[in-house]
Amino acid sequence: LRLSYCLIDGIVHGNAESHGVYIDDTPGPVVIEHSKIIASGINVLVGGGSPWIPNQRVMSDGFVFRWNECTKLHEWSKDRGNVGVKNLFELKNCHYANIYGNIFTNCWPDNQQGMAILFTPREQNPSQYGKPARPAPLSGMTKVRFHNNLVTSVAGGIHVLASDDIG
């Protein structure tokens, strides 16, 4: 999948979590480049649910996120309680990622602490939609490179966890 030269805008779901781009349960490769993503919840989320394909490593064939802009609208800071603002970029389950040349702006405490970038390995939502839990022993992050990015006008920069702290 290649997503290039796109404007993803107006992604707001009240106080619930919304996603500008949500990638889950694919081995990749996925390339997102030269795009602007404006979303109130999480602008870009990779991983987060247990894989539907057993024993699959999410993004094992690669994820490239380059030359993009992720931002939140200033007007959302005045609409707290009605617009759920979270983070700009989050990896929960991703192997072989290269994130570079991006601009990440405008993130403040609201539905989370205001961290712009999160690398938080998770096996989240083990039981979804009334279906039985699916174990995901391969959840995590390996070979993730974050370089030559600008993170500005945020309450917190980058949060890194070595392992899942809620499971």
Side-chain angles (χ1 to χ4, degrees):
L1 169 71
R2 181 176 298 271
L3 181 75
S4 299
Y5 298 96
C6 294
L7 172 61
I8 300 170
D9 190 3
I11 310 300
V12 180
H13 191 254
N15 203 25
E17 183 169 303
S18 60
H19 307 106
V21 175
Y22 177 48
I23 302 167
D24 200 18
D25 208 16
T26 180
V30 173
V31 176
I32 301 173
E33 61 188 357
H34 298 287
S35 295
K36 185 170 185 175
I37 304 164
I38 305 167
S40 66
I42 301 172
N43 295 57
V44 177
L45 174 61
V46 178
S50 294
W52 289 95
I53 302 169
N55 299 317
Q56 175 176 288
R57 296 188 94 163
V58 174
M59 294 301 167
S60 60
D61 290 333
F63 173 54
V64 176
F65 190 79
R66 62 184 172 208
W67 312 312
N68 300 291
E69 180 181 356
C70 291
T71 190
K72 310 234 178 264
L73 299 179
H74 287 288
E75 64 195 56
W76 293 335
S77 68
K78 299 174 184 85
D79 204 12
R80 293 187 183 189
N82 295 316
V83 176
V85 171
K86 292 184 94 175
N87 48 288
L88 295 166
F89 186 90
E90 183 169 5
L91 295 183
K92 289 186 177 182
N93 186 8
C94 186
H95 303 276
Y96 306 104
N98 196 1
I99 301 113
Y100 65 93
N102 302 289
I103 300 171
F104 299 96
T105 60
N106 301 335
C107 191
W108 53 85
D110 192 47
N111 279 10
Q112 284 185 332
Q113 298 174 350
M115 297 298 295
I117 311 296
L118 285 88
F119 298 108
T120 53
R122 301 257 190 254
E123 178 189 342
Q124 199 163 326
N125 303 324
S127 178
Q128 296 175 336
Y129 312 112
K131 297 184 179 185
R134 298 175 316 280
L138 299 178
S139 291
M141 281 184 277
T142 56
K143 298 182 181 175
V144 174
R145 187 168 183 217
F146 185 89
H147 60 107
N148 199 29
N149 296 290
L150 173 63
V151 180
T152 185
S153 300
V154 299
I158 300 170
H159 182 202
V160 178
L161 275 178
S163 62
D164 193 341
D165 65 346
I166 61 172

